[in-house]
Amino acid sequence: MSESPTGQQILLRHGEQTAVIVELGGALRDYAVEGRPVLDGFSADERITGGRGQLLVPWPNRIGQGRYLWNDQDLQLPLTEPESGNAIHGLLRWMSWQVVEREEHRVLLGATLWPQPGYPFHLDVRVGYVLGADGLTVTVVAHNLGEDTAPYGVGQHPYLTVGTEAVDDAVLLVPARKWLPLDDTGMPVAAEDVTGTPFDFRTAKAVGGQRLDTAFTELERDSSGRAVVRLAHPSGSHGTDLWLGEGAGFVQVYTGDTLPERRRRGIAVEPMSCPPNAFRSRDGLVALAPGDLHTFRWGLRVWRQQD
């Protein structure tokens, strides 16, 4: 049997839950509860497309023209979205991540981000996946090993499914008071109130034909400090909560309209520490000082009507 195009496949188990993490990019390939898929993921013999399950380090989403100023340096990143002239989704998603610790229900993987053209900073990044009574918890910790303060952001790109053939029928709740419109170059401008707009999902509603590739912020949080995005089956019988915890102040929701092979099959709900273009706007951007750590935490919890 030939090796998987995503490298080592790491299976986690806890009760009725299973998850699969892959070596390539430390990505989350699959998560299922009682045999029911929670993610519109990918199989072991498939390549990753559409960013499925990928970790987005040291920035999520796009940087316009891949160019930014930092500490009087004019820096140019590789244009990894050449059709739009942008740098997209960071520098570690096509790198091998190594297993640091592993048990049946949890795994910790690590990768080194070496200084390079466009990002002359040195980071150690670790991601922990844990299955437990509260579902799947994901924690990303970055440590600045270098001598210079580094611009830093992080996100992840899971696609959720509740078993509908298309996302149109799924019911979405996003507890955000503001959304980020885009300018003519596709970069976000000043956040606007969602009230009275099609982007107000504070009350759950069917996605319908709405096209979303939209960042949200000013998230309403519960007493534990979590903001919860909910995707539910139209029957109301079951669904998935994606919660955003420490370090996760933004969320991108994407209905997959530009994916020809899996168009509108799942909804990407992307927890992020900063919005698109943060290296240029500085909105939500972390200035990670030498020796400092940054923690980013999110998770998934499946519910049934009786919950």
Side-chain angles (χ1 to χ4, degrees):
M1 180 177 177
S2 60
E3 184 178 12
S4 167
T6 54
Q8 183 181 3
Q9 309 289 299
I10 303 161
L11 175 63
L12 306 182
R13 293 184 183 276
H14 177 80
E16 296 296 325
Q17 302 176 70
T18 59
V20 180
I21 319 304
V22 300
E23 176 184 351
L24 179 62
L28 175 62
R29 179 170 77 74
D30 181 68
Y31 177 48
V33 179
E34 297 178 350
R36 177 178 288 173
V38 178
L39 302 180
D40 181 25
F42 55 98
S43 65
D45 60 358
E46 287 183 300
R47 295 173 56 203
I48 301 176
T49 59
R52 292 178 191 279
Q54 290 187 313
L55 287 160
L56 316 176
V57 178
W59 73 86
N61 215 290
R62 295 165 176 83
I63 299 174
Q65 302 174 3
R67 189 172 181 177
Y68 66 103
L69 291 172
W70 187 257
N71 289 345
D72 298 323
Q73 296 181 80
D74 187 358
L75 297 169
Q76 178 65 59
L77 293 157
L79 300 182
T80 46
E81 190 182 49
E83 64 274 16
S84 302
N86 297 319
I88 188 169
H89 289 337
L91 298 168
L92 288 180
R93 62 188 184 131
W94 303 115
M95 303 290 288
S96 288
W97 288 56
Q98 305 303 313
V99 174
V100 177
E101 299 174 3
R102 183 176 179 181
E103 299 178 56
E104 184 179 33
H105 71 292
R106 61 179 287 271
V107 67
L108 179 68
L109 297 98
T112 299
L113 181 51
W114 297 99
Q116 58 195 273
Y119 195 81
F121 310 102
H122 187 189
L123 307 183
D124 175 77
V125 187
R126 300 200 173 194
V127 59
Y129 295 94
V130 180
L131 295 178
D134 195 36
L136 172 66
T137 298
V138 184
T139 305
V140 183
V141 178
H143 181 198
N144 186 350
L145 302 179
E147 297 179 353
D148 299 309
T149 297
Y152 180 75
V154 56
Q156 197 152 0
H157 208 302
Y159 288 76
L160 307 187
T161 180
V162 286
T164 57
E165 194 167 319
V167 302
D168 306 49
D169 297 325
V171 176
L172 177 66
L173 182 148
V174 182
R177 291 185 288 270
K178 291 190 176 181
W179 70 289
L180 279 67
L182 304 179
D183 65 17
D184 292 340
T185 68
M187 294 297 115
V189 292
E192 295 184 3
D193 194 321
V194 299
T195 304
T197 75
F199 303 98
D200 191 349
F201 286 90
R202 290 174 295 180
T203 299
K205 61 182 179 180
V207 174
Q210 187 168 354
R211 295 167 63 102
L212 294 170
D213 193 359
T214 307
F216 295 87
T217 190
E218 291 201 11
L219 305 174
E220 299 170 358
R221 297 182 182 267
D222 61 23
S223 58
S224 69
R226 294 179 175 181
V228 178
V229 176
R230 171 165 286 192
L231 190 68
H233 190 271
S235 67
S237 63
H238 65 276
T240 299
D241 289 347
L242 185 150
W243 57 264
L244 299 95
E246 181 179 359
F250 297 79
V251 64
Q252 183 92 5
V253 179
Y254 172 49
T255 47
D257 299 272
T258 59
L259 302 177
E261 75 286 359
R262 300 170 88 155
R263 183 178 179 274
R264 295 183 71 87
R265 251 185 49 175
I267 296 183
V269 180
E270 309 164 39
M272 305 185 300
S273 65
C274 59
N277 213 30
F279 275 28
R280 292 169 67 101
S281 70
R282 305 296 175 93
D283 187 12
L285 188 65
V286 173
L288 194 62
D292 279 2
L293 302 174
H294 179 271
T295 299
F296 173 81
R297 188 171 285 113
W298 69 277
L300 294 167
R301 178 183 178 272
V302 171
W303 53 268
R304 302 281 183 263
Q305 194 172 33
Q306 66 270 22
D307 284 5

